[in-house]
mmCIF file of all heavy atoms in Angstrom:
data_model
loop_
_atom_site.group_PDB
_atom_site.id
_atom_site.type_symbol
_atom_site.label_atom_id
_atom_site.label_comp_id
_atom_site.label_asym_id
_atom_site.label_seq_id
_atom_site.Cartn_x
_atom_site.Cartn_y
_atom_site.Cartn_z
ATOM 1 N N ALA W 49 4.745 24.550 -9.493
ATOM 2 C CA ALA W 49 4.910 24.669 -8.040
ATOM 3 C C ALA W 49 4.309 23.425 -7.404
ATOM 4 O O ALA W 49 3.503 22.720 -8.024
ATOM 5 C CB ALA W 49 4.233 25.926 -7.493
ATOM 6 N N LEU W 52 3.850 20.453 -0.284
ATOM 7 C CA LEU W 52 4.143 19.206 0.428
ATOM 8 C C LEU W 52 3.460 19.272 1.784
ATOM 9 O O LEU W 52 3.694 20.208 2.560
ATOM 10 C CB LEU W 52 5.653 19.041 0.592
ATOM 11 C CG LEU W 52 6.150 17.831 1.375
ATOM 12 C CD1 LEU W 52 5.731 16.531 0.704
ATOM 13 C CD2 LEU W 52 7.662 17.876 1.516
ATOM 14 N N GLY W 97 16.686 15.398 -1.061
ATOM 15 C CA GLY W 97 17.599 16.221 -1.844
ATOM 16 C C GLY W 97 17.058 16.664 -3.188
ATOM 17 O O GLY W 97 17.457 17.717 -3.699
ATOM 18 N N ALA W 139 15.431 16.747 16.567
ATOM 19 C CA ALA W 139 15.480 15.982 17.810
ATOM 20 C C ALA W 139 16.639 14.993 17.906
ATOM 21 O O ALA W 139 16.860 14.397 18.965
ATOM 22 C CB ALA W 139 14.160 15.225 17.978
ATOM 23 N N ALA W 180 8.678 31.182 13.259
ATOM 24 C CA ALA W 180 8.509 32.368 12.415
ATOM 25 C C ALA W 180 9.341 33.527 12.950
ATOM 26 O O ALA W 180 9.960 34.270 12.184
ATOM 27 C CB ALA W 180 7.035 32.746 12.336
#
Side-chain angles (χ1 to χ4, degrees):
L52 177 61

